[in-house]
Amino acid sequence: MNYLKKWWLTICFVSLTVLLTAIIIIPHSTTSRKALTELAHEIMLNISSYTLDKSESYLRPAENAAELTRFLADSNIVSSDNYQNMIRYFSEQLSLYHQLSGIYYGTTKGEFFMVTRSDNKVKNGLLSKTILFENGERKTTMTWTTAENKVLQSDLMPLDKYDPRKRPWFIEALMTNDVIWTEPYIFFTSQKPGISTASPVYDENGKLQGVVGVDITIAELSTFLNTLTIGQSGKAFIVDTNGNVVAFPDLEALKQTTQNNKIRLSKINELSDEICQKAYKSLSVHPDQIPQKPVFTTFEHHGARYNAVFTPFKNSHWPWIIGLYIPEDDYLGDIKKDYRLSVMTAALAILLSGLIGWVVARKLNAAKENAVAANHAKSQFLAVMSHEIRTPMNVILGTTDLLKDSHPRDDQKKYIKLLDDAGEGLLALINDILDMSKVEAGLLDLESIDFNPSKIMRQSCSVFEHSASQKGIELACRVDGKLPGLVQGDPVRVKQILLNLIGNAVKFTDTGGVYVQAGYKQLTNNNVELKFEIQDTGPGIPKDRQHAIFEHFTQADSSITREYQGTGLGLSISKKLCDMMNGKITVSSSPGSGSTFTFTITMKEVKDSHTKAEKFKNLPEDRTLPRKVLLIEDNKSNRLLFKHFISDSPHIMKCASNGEEGIEIYKEFQPDIIFMDIEMPVMDGYKATEEIRDWERIIGLSPVPIIALSAHAIKGTAEAAREAGCTSYMTKPITKLQFLERIERDSQLNNKNHY
């Protein structure tokens, strides 16, 4: 066994096969129950948030109903003097708002006028009820009509004893003297759960006339919960502060028959679903108290462990809680059962690299499909998961970068190139998918920094000079001499669009060339419209396909994906980025005549931009001064990787595994630049940065450049880092070249003396 272990460790550092195996084994073997539970919590929280948003959208008609009661109370529509017009108006409102169940008006004299939905005589019919007092005698009439107000039946009800003045909605509206909402209850006519809103009515002299009310059905909440997929056997429910079940996947389970044959809402402890009862009991809060934020709990049922989350409604009108539970085995069961098998498979992969690649790919694909199926309700989850994806990618690509410089044998160079190509391809795919997810979910941030558009364009062209040369085609780049020296915007996203378009042009052009040019147009308020044009002599695009190429996963010809590879997301992302930068992208093409892609973006021109551009241009290049670097990073693999990055440079680096340790080293080491991981135990990067900035102000030191490091791709991370005091922000994975360039560039901003 020791021999096997030694052999395995040796191969890990000299063979591509064992490197891939280690990448799979190490994260798998160190994954704990706690980490997987946190992942399940993230999924549950996203589903709960989605459920909350949908539930509150279903309840918005209740707000409209409240406005309707206010309007009716302030108008002259509700009046027993002309009750036929009032009944007609009530019917019209029910036809306009399908979630309204009934509208009614009760007077202080005991008169009552109501229109409610009823299927007793005809589907989607209406029932109107009037109680009048004529010559001292009470007259109750019930009339059934169609939705078009065609009378089907009208009966006198001499035995009816209904008095609106004794109803809770009437009494509560008078006591509060304002619009009120009732607690959920079962409607008498429709036998569906709902709520009511009511308001007192006064005449022009301020004399009380009665109370007008509106019923709103909330049965759609139960229908929605029934469609939710929460793992394999999870469930969601909604309860109020009294333990009444407001919504449940089984609508009939909501109803409870009393001793006098009336129907009311079920209590949570009256449900036949024992798991829901135990989930609610695990919350352990007073019935009148609503948690202010989501609360996670655990409980057991028949020996199985469950996780639950309880999320309060945001609107104070609805003092309700969304409960959601999922069995632990839904996300841990297969992992528990297959753990030993996975380890054996990974060990066998040392000898059978091709087979393990196939097995790992299948497992990763299955894991991805399960994650998407478990959390299809929130596309934002994909952006959050970028943290988990980019962290190991940083180690994979960084280690590959180091292996290139380790003087490998010729056969090892082939393996390293395979790993490098696969890693870069995977990273490109991840970036495309995450970018599209973030754009659609509103999570993509655009930076606003000064940059030279001419330089960005030339850099983008230079990336493909070698590819164009190998294909024997021309690649020309022409910039308008009057192009602004500096503009304010997001250079990374501008470069991303250029790389997509130039890369496509080079990829699809076999003869002739690719010609890139740029110009601009002056707008008002120091704004400029930059215009970039990429022309090629490729095969061209049929006119009927030119609109489709900007859609997701679409290319002009489906065979192109097989011949040239690609996700079909590049143009779609480019279009959305142009839209976000107040521009547009168009294509002009015909088969056999090549294509011309033109895109515009609007930027703010930086005053004295030519002077500043020259200043940036004249900064010393190829001048590597020794720097003192402090890396604060909790991930051991990343610390080791960055040490290797810097090992053949003149720089000196010290490392810390958390914020507290990093602050102490900073005070003694006095670095020229700090690389700060955002998420760490003990003290995170935000807090550590704030304390460093406070210490600098107290001591009177110039601010040291602090570069925030994160694998997150969610909205607000970069802003939060800058608010904490970070100088700039880098997203993992980070290459050796990027790391060393950032040391050289940002440490020049520090005015301290170098050692």
Side-chain angles (χ1 to χ4, degrees):
M1 189 67 179
N2 291 333
Y3 172 77
L4 180 61
K5 182 176 180 182
K6 181 178 179 181
W7 176 73
W8 176 73
L9 290 174
T10 302
I11 299 299
C12 278
F13 291 96
V14 297
S15 169
L16 170 66
T17 302
V18 180
L19 179 61
L20 288 171
T21 305
I23 292 169
I24 301 301
I25 291 178
I26 293 174
H28 180 77
S29 61
T30 57
T31 299
S32 64
R33 174 187 294 270
K34 180 180 178 181
L36 292 172
T37 301
E38 288 176 354
L39 176 60
H41 283 182
E42 285 288 340
I43 296 173
M44 293 169 65
L45 195 59
N46 277 280
I47 297 176
S48 180
S49 175
Y50 171 72
T51 305
L52 177 62
D53 291 342
K54 293 292 290 184
S55 299
E56 292 199 334
S57 70
Y58 280 124
L59 292 169
R60 287 197 184 99
E63 298 287 349
N64 296 334
E67 292 298 325
L68 178 60
T69 58
R70 289 190 180 95
F71 168 73
L72 292 174
D74 295 338
S75 67
N76 59 1
I77 294 176
V78 287
S79 172
S80 58
D81 296 336
N82 192 357
Y83 71 89
Q84 291 91 347
N85 285 342
M86 178 171 58
I87 292 293
R88 190 178 303 109
Y89 182 81
F90 288 174
S91 300
E92 292 172 354
Q93 295 303 307
L94 291 182
S95 66
L96 291 175
Y97 303 103
H98 73 92
Q99 284 184 284
L100 301 186
S101 179
I103 308 176
Y104 42 86
Y105 172 54
T107 70
T108 55
K109 299 177 183 179
E111 295 174 317
F112 183 65
F113 310 92
M114 175 189 74
V115 178
T116 184
R117 301 185 189 278
S118 174
D119 293 335
N120 286 349
K121 304 300 180 183
V122 66
K123 187 173 180 59
N124 298 324
L126 298 175
L127 167 64
S128 61
K129 180 178 181 178
T130 60
I131 301 176
L132 296 169
F133 290 95
E134 298 178 354
N135 300 322
E137 293 185 2
R138 174 187 175 101
K139 180 181 178 182
T140 302
T141 306
M142 297 184 70
T143 304
W144 288 266
T145 65
T146 64
E148 293 77 23
N149 290 320
K150 178 182 178 181
V151 177
L152 300 174
Q153 182 177 332
S154 182
D155 296 331
L156 292 175
M157 311 296 292
L159 300 179
D160 180 75
K161 299 184 181 299
Y162 182 83
D163 189 344
R165 297 169 297 184
K166 297 180 180 180
R167 304 303 298 166
W169 54 269
F170 193 100
I171 298 171
E172 189 175 349
L174 293 185
M175 291 179 64
T176 58
N177 197 29
D178 199 358
V179 175
I180 59 98
W181 284 268
T182 67
E183 294 182 354
Y185 64 99
I186 298 295
F187 291 151
F188 176 76
T189 53
S190 65
Q191 299 297 302
K192 293 182 179 180
I195 53 178
S196 298
T197 177
S199 175
V201 178
Y202 295 89
D203 64 13
E204 59 185 7
N205 297 319
K207 183 178 179 181
L208 179 67
Q209 299 297 304
V211 174
V212 62
V214 179
D215 291 340
I216 308 98
T217 178
I218 56 174
E220 287 86 352
L221 292 179
S222 295
T223 304
F224 166 67
L225 295 184
N226 189 44
T227 63
L228 277 180
T229 301
I230 307 171
Q232 298 178 10
S233 52
K235 190 174 290 185
F237 55 91
I238 302 176
V239 293
D240 65 11
T241 54
N242 295 321
N244 294 316
V245 184
V246 177
F248 193 70
D250 182 2
L251 183 60
E252 292 302 315
L254 283 176
K255 303 173 185 179
Q256 195 71 220
T257 305
T258 63
Q259 293 181 350
N260 54 0
N261 290 327
K262 292 184 177 181
I263 299 178
R264 60 170 174 80
L265 283 175
S266 297
K267 297 283 188 180
I268 190 71
N269 57 7
E270 294 174 336
L271 291 176
S272 59
D273 192 325
E274 296 181 11
I275 305 179
C276 281
Q277 296 182 31
K278 290 185 177 181
Y280 184 71
K281 288 180 181 178
S282 69
L283 182 58
S284 300
V285 297
H286 193 273
D288 293 333
Q289 293 179 344
I290 293 290
Q292 299 301 309
K293 58 183 180 179
V295 176
F296 289 97
T297 67
T298 59
F299 63 95
E300 291 189 358
H301 178 68
H302 292 168
R305 186 181 177 88
Y306 287 75
N307 281 285
V309 62
F310 296 89
T311 306
F313 275 66
K314 301 173 186 176
N315 194 322
S316 59
H317 292 315
W318 325 121
W320 304 341
I321 304 171
I322 295 176
L324 185 151
Y325 68 82
I326 183 172
E328 191 176 79
D329 282 347
D330 273 17
Y331 59 92
L332 285 181
D334 290 340
I335 294 175
K336 293 176 182 176
K337 296 176 183 177
D338 296 340
Y339 177 74
R340 292 184 179 180
L341 179 60
S342 299
V343 173
M344 293 175 60
T345 305
L348 183 61
I350 298 173
L351 301 175
L352 304 172
S353 59
L355 177 61
I356 194 59
W358 179 74
V359 172
V360 170
R362 288 195 61 185
K363 283 187 171 287
L364 288 177
N365 186 58
K368 177 184 174 182
E369 291 178 354
N370 290 337
V372 171
N375 196 32
H376 68 281
K378 275 289 185 182
S379 62
Q380 294 157 315
F381 176 70
L382 185 59
V384 177
M385 281 303 296
S386 69
H387 178 75
E388 304 301 328
I389 298 174
R390 289 174 182 268
T391 297
M393 285 301 298
N394 187 56
V395 178
I396 295 171
L397 295 179
T399 306
T400 305
D401 204 21
L402 292 174
L403 285 174
K404 292 178 184 177
D405 300 332
S406 63
H407 306 294
R409 300 191 307 268
D410 289 341
D411 59 330
Q412 291 174 336
K413 289 180 181 179
K414 296 178 182 179
Y415 297 142
I416 293 172
K417 188 176 187 306
L418 284 176
L419 178 60
D420 190 31
D421 292 344
E424 291 294 342
L426 178 59
L427 180 60
L429 176 61
I430 291 169
N431 285 338
D432 280 352
I433 295 176
L434 290 175
D435 281 347
M436 182 56 63
S437 173
K438 288 185 288 181
V439 168
E440 293 184 341
L443 301 175
L444 185 67
D445 289 327
L446 290 179
E447 285 193 308
S448 183
I449 60 177
D450 297 349
F451 71 95
N452 187 323
S454 301
K455 184 177 180 181
I456 292 294
M457 179 174 165
R458 291 191 181 95
Q459 288 176 345
S460 301
C461 288
S462 66
V463 172
F464 300 100
E465 287 178 351
H466 181 68
S467 300
S469 176
Q470 284 189 324
K471 296 186 71 173
I473 61 175
E474 181 183 3
L475 176 58
C477 180
R478 187 175 70 84
V479 180
D480 190 334
K482 297 181 181 179
L483 207 63
L486 285 178
V487 295
Q488 195 173 76
D490 192 330
V492 174
R493 297 304 177 182
V494 176
K495 190 173 184 179
Q496 181 178 356
I497 300 173
L498 285 168
L499 291 175
N500 271 329
L501 296 179
I502 299 173
N504 282 345
V506 171
K507 179 166 62 174
F508 297 126
T509 301
D510 294 327
T511 60
V514 175
Y515 310 97
V516 185
Q517 57 183 353
Y520 85 107
K521 181 172 66 175
Q522 191 73 45
L523 304 178
T524 58
N525 298 326
N526 289 328
N527 289 325
V528 293
E529 182 184 79
L530 302 181
K531 181 179 179 181
F532 298 89
E533 189 174 278
I534 298 88
Q535 182 180 3
D536 65 62
T537 58
I541 305 169
K543 194 171 186 62
D544 60 347
R545 297 292 297 165
Q546 291 178 12
H547 178 73
I549 62 175
F550 294 106
E551 298 177 358
H552 302 349
F553 308 106
T554 303
Q555 294 181 328
D557 183 352
S558 60
S559 64
I560 288 175
T561 302
R562 296 188 297 270
E563 181 178 354
Y564 295 100
Q565 303 300 319
T567 63
L569 283 172
L571 289 178
S572 179
I573 295 172
S574 297
K575 182 179 185 302
K576 291 185 179 295
L577 289 175
C578 287
D579 293 340
M580 293 177 68
M581 290 185 277
N582 299 316
K584 62 180 180 179
I585 184 169
T586 58
V587 60
S588 174
S589 178
S590 60
S593 301
S595 304
T596 300
F597 284 84
T598 304
F599 74 93
T600 60
I601 52 177
T602 302
M603 301 281 173
K604 186 172 287 295
E605 183 178 8
V606 180
K607 292 184 178 180
D608 302 325
S609 60
H610 290 285
T611 303
K612 292 184 179 180
E614 288 299 318
K615 181 179 179 182
F616 283 118
K617 181 179 178 181
N618 294 328
L619 283 176
E621 297 182 1
D622 301 326
R623 182 188 177 195
T624 304
L625 296 176
R627 311 287 181 182
K628 293 194 293 183
V629 181
L630 173 58
L631 173 66
I632 306 176
E633 163 70 66
D634 67 312
N635 188 284
K636 185 177 180 180
S637 298
N638 280 333
R639 293 200 301 272
L640 178 62
L641 181 65
F642 287 123
K643 284 182 180 178
H644 283 295
F645 280 173
I646 209 169
S647 61
D648 57 354
S649 73
H651 309 311
I652 293 179
M653 184 171 75
K654 288 190 176 183
C655 298
S657 60
N658 60 67
E660 282 189 359
E661 182 183 341
I663 292 172
E664 296 303 318
I665 296 177
Y666 162 73
K667 293 178 181 179
E668 298 177 3
F669 186 47
Q670 292 293 291
D672 296 302
I673 188 169
I674 299 174
F675 289 88
M676 178 79 71
D677 190 25
I678 293 300
E679 292 190 356
M680 294 182 291
V682 184
M683 180 185 291
D684 62 27
Y686 298 120
K687 182 64 175 176
T689 301
E690 291 172 354
E691 294 204 7
I692 289 175
R693 295 307 186 205
D694 289 341
W695 193 79
E696 289 172 337
R697 284 191 289 270
I698 294 172
I699 301 301
L701 295 176
S702 299
V704 63
I706 300 178
I707 314 303
L709 303 179
S710 177
H712 266 311
I714 58 176
K715 188 174 184 178
T717 303
E719 287 80 357
R722 291 191 177 95
E723 288 177 4
C726 292
T727 309
S728 59
Y729 176 83
M730 294 182 75
T731 302
K732 299 174 184 176
I734 300 168
T735 66
K736 177 180 178 180
L737 180 61
Q738 291 172 332
F739 185 63
L740 295 177
E741 284 182 347
R742 186 56 67 97
I743 293 175
E744 184 64 24
R745 190 190 78 182
D746 283 23
S747 58
Q748 289 180 5
L749 303 176
N750 193 4
N751 294 325
K752 296 186 301 181
N753 294 325
H754 305 297
Y755 63 93

